[in-house]
Amino acid sequence: MVDRLANSEANSKRIALVEGCFGTAGQPLAIPGRVLIGEGVLTKLCRKKPKARQFFLFNDILVYGNIVIQKKKYNKQHIIPLENVTIDSIEDEGDLRNGWLIKTPTKSFAVYAATATEKSEWMNHINKCVSDLLEKSGKSPSSEHAAVWVPDSEATVCMRCQKIKFTPVSRRHHCRKCGFVVCGPCSEKKFLLPSQSSKPVRVCEFCYEQLSGGQAASLPARSDSYSRSSKFPAPNVSDDDDEDDSSD
């Protein structure tokens, strides 16, 4: 089906329409062999709060952006190569239902669909596209992914020292390695994480010691499991907010 649609006029028109919605600020999306599989609004768990984002699934990339005017105008375009993507389902909890993790080496975050059926369709289509890409390229699935960020609201005190309370003066920072919300004194170090940045990025003291080959056994390591049941769980997932990707 994808191969038949690749060079069809209908597919070309749909991709051109998406390009038009992003305007000149967006990247060109039409290339030979690319097919628009589907699109829809998903709730993305951002640093500050959950926000609606428009997502477009192509056979080789996942594109999303902020909604300015529904079906007419989007901005802040993000493009994720699907061959680097792995996804994991998230259990329903409270108002956050029908969610899954989208994990890549550079950025990882959670999204939520309106219904369980919609979630299933999205996950099935993404997995199929990733599987097809890996089969064609002969590559193995990505085993490395960036940490998902704990939303600011999940931490009133530093998640490492558990002493410093966050205030307008004592700001929250995020460790790029584990995703914890930490205070300034617990995150004074920087370390080069090539998959995320060409420059050294902020990491907490615990992760810095681990990355540098030191020992920090007195501090808890981060688990990759997803839970919100304890005071400081394996973090509720989010990455940096789309409006301030360079923020701490």
Side-chain angles (χ1 to χ4, degrees), residues 1-236:
M1 175 63 76
V2 170
D3 291 336
R4 290 202 303 270
L5 290 173
N7 298 311
S8 71
E9 183 177 354
N11 179 62
S12 297
K13 287 182 177 180
R14 292 177 70 199
I15 294 178
L17 185 60
V18 175
E19 287 182 331
C21 288
F22 278 105
T24 55
Q27 296 294 316
L29 299 172
I31 64 170
R34 177 168 289 165
V35 175
L36 178 57
I37 305 296
E39 61 183 270
V41 177
L42 298 173
T43 298
K44 178 177 178 288
L45 197 56
C46 299
R47 175 181 176 178
K48 300 294 184 182
K49 61 182 180 180
K51 297 181 180 180
R53 296 287 184 257
Q54 183 73 27
F55 280 77
F56 300 91
L57 176 63
F58 295 82
N59 59 328
D60 62 333
I61 58 173
L62 182 65
V63 178
Y64 70 92
N66 295 7
I67 301 169
V68 180
I69 303 174
Q70 183 60 46
K71 295 186 180 297
K72 291 186 178 180
K73 186 176 181 181
Y74 311 111
N75 63 12
K76 298 185 184 295
Q77 183 190 73
H78 297 257
I79 300 177
I80 302 174
L82 282 179
E83 69 176 10
N84 296 327
V85 168
T86 57
I87 59 175
D88 291 318
S89 181
I90 301 172
E91 292 185 5
D92 293 343
E93 186 169 354
D95 294 333
L96 296 175
R97 306 178 65 84
N98 309 314
W100 67 97
L101 293 177
I102 296 175
K103 302 188 295 185
T104 79
T106 58
K107 193 171 190 176
S108 301
F109 53 92
V111 292
Y112 295 85
T115 67
T117 298
E118 187 179 342
K119 169 187 174 177
S120 177
E121 291 177 348
W122 271 101
M123 293 190 70
N124 288 339
H125 284 306
I126 292 173
N127 276 328
K128 180 65 165 60
C129 289
V130 173
S131 176
D132 289 347
L133 282 171
L134 294 177
E135 184 178 352
K136 289 181 180 179
S137 67
K139 296 181 180 179
S140 300
S142 177
S143 59
E144 179 186 7
H145 61 83
V148 288
W149 282 24
V150 181
D152 287 356
S153 60
E154 291 292 309
T156 58
V157 300
C158 174
M159 296 180 72
R160 283 306 184 192
C161 69
Q162 299 188 20
K163 295 177 181 179
I164 294 181
K165 294 183 178 181
F166 296 122
T167 68
V169 177
S170 298
R171 294 182 55 226
R172 291 172 172 84
H173 303 280
H174 278 84
C175 172
R176 268 50 173 187
K177 179 61 179 176
C178 68
F180 275 11
V181 183
V182 291
C183 63
C186 285
S187 60
E188 293 178 338
K189 302 285 201 321
K190 291 188 176 184
F191 199 89
L192 181 63
L193 302 176
S195 63
Q196 295 190 38
S197 175
S198 59
K199 299 179 180 179
V201 293
R202 182 187 293 269
V203 294
C204 68
E205 188 71 28
F206 172 73
C207 288
Y208 182 83
E209 290 296 325
Q210 285 204 323
L211 291 165
S212 300
Q215 299 296 321
S218 61
L219 291 172
R222 165 130 181 214
S223 167
D224 281 336
S225 61
Y226 183 87
S227 169
R228 300 177 65 194
S229 58
S230 62
K231 184 176 180 182
F232 290 121
N236 187 354

